[in-house]
Amino acid sequence: MELIQAQKIIHGYSKLLEKVNPRKLFMSKTELPCSDAMIKYAFYTYVDELVRMHKMNGPTAESLIVAYAHLSFFVEQDQVAALNKIANREYEDCDEADALDLLEKNKTTLNLLSRKKENMVKELTEYIRDCIRVVQN
């Protein structure tokens, strides 16, 4: 992938992230400008170039890592409403049985998404470090 393509993809994804608000933390994968795999590839391409040009610094790396990890909040359309309801604690107003049912049905998904986010943070952090090491040697 060329740097220009990576920048366009990341720019489109960044515009989408600007729309994220605490009430609608989870969004549908269909809203992404392209597949999450292509977005990840764009991040890797962009990181390569920033490091190669000696433009990678702490705030830039942190910003890229946060944006990259936010991909874990893009889920299947049929999961969005329930996950946002849980994230906003809207189940507290529900009858206890309904609240327990909502939490139980989504427990596995929430655990998987949490691990996915942690892994994505670790993954891009390690990649940035590796790129810096390669350029320095």
Side-chain angles (χ1 to χ4, degrees):
M1 175 182 298
E2 297 289 324
L3 177 59
I4 298 295
Q5 292 170 307
Q7 288 173 317
K8 284 181 184 177
I9 291 169
I10 292 171
H11 179 74
Y13 175 61
S14 297
K15 287 290 183 195
L16 184 58
L17 291 182
E18 290 173 9
K19 297 178 187 177
V20 173
N21 72 59
R23 304 291 302 161
K24 295 184 179 177
L25 190 60
F26 291 95
M27 298 172 75
S28 173
K29 285 182 177 184
T30 61
E31 295 185 56
L32 291 170
C34 55
S35 71
D36 58 348
M38 186 61 77
I39 293 170
K40 288 177 182 181
Y41 186 47
F43 270 88
Y44 284 104
T45 301
Y46 192 62
V47 165
D48 284 341
E49 286 298 314
L50 286 178
V51 171
R52 190 184 61 73
M53 296 182 309
H54 302 286
K55 292 186 177 183
M56 181 63 73
N57 57 41
T60 300
E62 185 175 332
S63 177
L64 289 169
I65 291 165
V66 168
Y68 183 81
H70 198 82
L71 273 170
S72 63
F73 289 90
F74 286 87
V75 297
E76 299 303 325
Q77 179 63 46
D78 62 345
Q79 298 175 308
V80 173
L83 294 175
N84 278 325
K85 191 172 190 174
I86 292 168
N88 296 319
R89 297 185 173 272
E90 293 172 8
Y91 58 86
E92 291 174 347
D93 297 336
C94 297
D95 146 303
E96 187 176 338
D98 290 342
L100 289 173
D101 186 50
L102 177 69
L103 293 171
E104 189 58 38
K105 283 182 180 176
N106 292 284
K107 184 169 79 172
T108 302
T109 299
L110 289 168
N111 286 334
L112 289 172
L113 292 173
S114 177
R115 277 188 296 221
K116 180 179 179 181
K117 182 180 177 189
E118 289 172 15
N119 287 336
M120 290 178 76
V121 166
K122 182 179 176 185
E123 181 180 288
L124 195 60
T125 300
E126 289 175 354
Y127 187 73
I128 291 169
R129 282 189 198 130
D130 287 348
C131 287
I132 290 170
R133 253 183 269 148
V134 167
V135 167
Q136 288 175 342
N137 292 333

